[in-house]
């Protein structure tokens, strides 16, 4: 049986990992073993943080909506506003609401007024 040399394949694999680790500090960008660990950990963080990014943006949208609603009516809270939207039959997601609150305050104020009109009278 012929001897199989894997030098080309191994070199290519090492080069691929080192290229992925370019920009890392010190040995993490130069030594294959250290670079492999660093790249693996970076990929774990990337996978986890794709979910976290969605979480963070939703929290940001909620903060922006709450601030804009309280600017229009200090007695109205975020949760009451969202409840009033569903009572009014307005189906706009938080991303769009936050964008309206920041870029088109007049349109957002109109939505708040419609939601406030749909709220039941306080007991």
């Amino acid at each position: 049986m012929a001897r199989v040399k894997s030098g080309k394949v191994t070199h290519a694999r090492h080069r691929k990992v080192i290229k992925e680790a370019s920009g890392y500090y010190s040995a993490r960008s130069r030594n294959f073993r250290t670079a492999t660990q660093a790249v693996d950990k970076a990929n774990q963080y990337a996978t986890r943080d794709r979910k976290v990014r969605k979480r963070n943006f939703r929290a940001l949208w909620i903060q922006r909506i709450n601030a804009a609603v309280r600017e229009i009516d200090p007695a109205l809270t975020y949760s009451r506003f969202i409840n009033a939207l569903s009572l009014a039959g307005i189906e706009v997601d938080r991303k769009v609401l936050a964008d309206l609150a920041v870029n088109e305050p007049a349109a957002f104020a109109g939505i708040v007024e419609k939601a406030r009109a749909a709220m039941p009278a306080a007991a």
Side-chain angles (χ1 to χ4, degrees):
M1 173 150 324
R3 173 175 170 227
V4 177
K5 293 173 66 180
S6 63
K8 280 182 146 182
V9 176
T10 302
H11 183 67
R13 184 169 47 88
H14 285 209
R15 204 174 56 225
K16 186 176 85 172
V17 171
I18 294 294
K19 185 179 178 206
E20 256 187 278
S22 69
Y24 291 1
Y25 183 75
S26 189
R28 294 165 71 93
S29 68
R30 290 190 285 272
N31 296 348
F32 171 72
R33 187 183 296 178
T34 315
T36 305
Q37 293 172 354
V39 167
D40 287 347
K41 182 59 84 172
N43 288 335
Q44 288 174 7
Y45 286 143
T47 302
R48 178 196 70 188
D49 290 342
R50 278 195 294 276
K51 298 282 186 194
V52 173
R53 183 188 324 140
K54 295 167 182 64
R55 213 176 298 158
N56 289 340
F57 268 108
R58 185 181 170 96
L60 174 68
W61 298 330
I62 288 171
Q63 289 168 5
R64 286 181 175 173
I65 293 167
N66 190 31
V69 165
R70 286 175 182 266
E71 206 171 87
I72 294 168
D73 181 8
L76 191 60
T77 63
Y78 166 79
S79 62
R80 288 190 183 129
F81 172 65
I82 294 296
N83 183 44
L85 282 179
S86 64
L87 290 175
I90 300 173
E91 293 183 10
V92 182
D93 64 359
R94 286 157 183 80
K95 180 179 179 180
V96 173
L97 281 172
D99 187 54
L100 284 174
V102 171
N103 297 321
E104 309 211 15
F108 185 75
I111 292 174
V112 171
E113 290 307 317
K114 284 188 178 182
R116 207 183 313 166
M119 286 175 69

